[in-house]
Amino acid sequence: MDVLVEEAAKKAAVAWVAVDGRPAALVWCAWLGGALLVVTGEGEQAVPALAEATTAEVSLRGDHGGRIVTFPAEVTRIAPGDEAWTELVPQLAAKRLNAAGGAEELTRVWSERCVVSRLTPAGASAGLPDDAQAAPPRPTAATRLPRRPFRLHKVRGATKHR
């Protein structure tokens, strides 16, 4: 395994995950058992097609906000009742911030309504691109036209002091 990938993933609280050429989605994650664990489904984050995917591309960023590494990952599901579920999912639930209920309740909810995916680094990390890879914002219903700023008074001209 790439040492850079492992070190960046250990420190990551979020990752950008792209599946099947779709735009990358920002997800919270945790590095446990040699892989990033991601929870998707009802009441959790949405990553289109991750639950059915076998591969994904993961990008990790540093404290300064810049990308550190992008790597291919093998995607597998951790099913309730599996040995990995018993070992890893309670640890993942304990790391989940702002969750209703405790780790045991969250683990139960995830087993009923969500998919826990394991993203294991597979292959060499990709080099960083030469260009900025900037893209226009995606369309969303959450946007609105900005209002003009409020002004308490208007300055009509400079006043002369004599």
Side-chain angles (χ1 to χ4, degrees):
M1 179 182 310
D2 191 338
V3 176
L4 177 60
V5 169
E6 185 175 0
E7 285 302 311
K10 284 180 181 178
K11 296 177 182 180
V14 296
W16 290 91
V17 178
V19 179
D20 295 333
R22 290 183 167 99
L26 181 66
V27 297
W28 74 268
C29 59
W31 178 262
L32 296 167
L36 283 175
L37 300 185
V38 175
V39 181
T40 57
E42 184 182 333
E44 290 295 337
Q45 55 208 352
V47 182
L50 182 62
E52 300 82 28
T54 57
T55 61
E57 183 177 82
V58 180
S59 292
L60 301 173
R61 300 186 185 278
D63 295 338
H64 53 79
R67 181 172 23 181
I68 294 175
V69 66
T70 297
F71 61 92
E74 178 184 330
V75 180
T76 56
R77 252 84 35 231
I78 301 177
D82 288 354
E83 185 178 319
W85 182 279
T86 307
E87 177 189 348
L88 299 175
V89 173
Q91 294 177 56
L92 180 62
K95 293 179 181 281
R96 175 69 161 89
L97 299 176
N98 303 322
E104 289 180 15
E105 173 67 14
L106 197 53
T107 301
R108 183 191 63 75
V109 169
W110 287 349
S111 70
E112 295 171 359
R113 297 187 250 174
C114 296
V115 174
V116 178
S117 298
R118 179 188 291 187
L119 283 66
T120 307
S125 59
L128 296 179
D130 292 332
D131 63 339
Q133 294 191 324
R138 295 182 208 151
T140 175
T143 59
R144 62 179 176 79
L145 294 175
R147 294 186 340 188
R148 294 183 64 177
F150 172 77
R151 290 191 177 161
L152 185 58
H153 58 82
K154 290 186 178 182
V155 179
R156 295 181 191 266
T159 58
K160 295 182 181 179
H161 296 297
R162 294 185 186 201

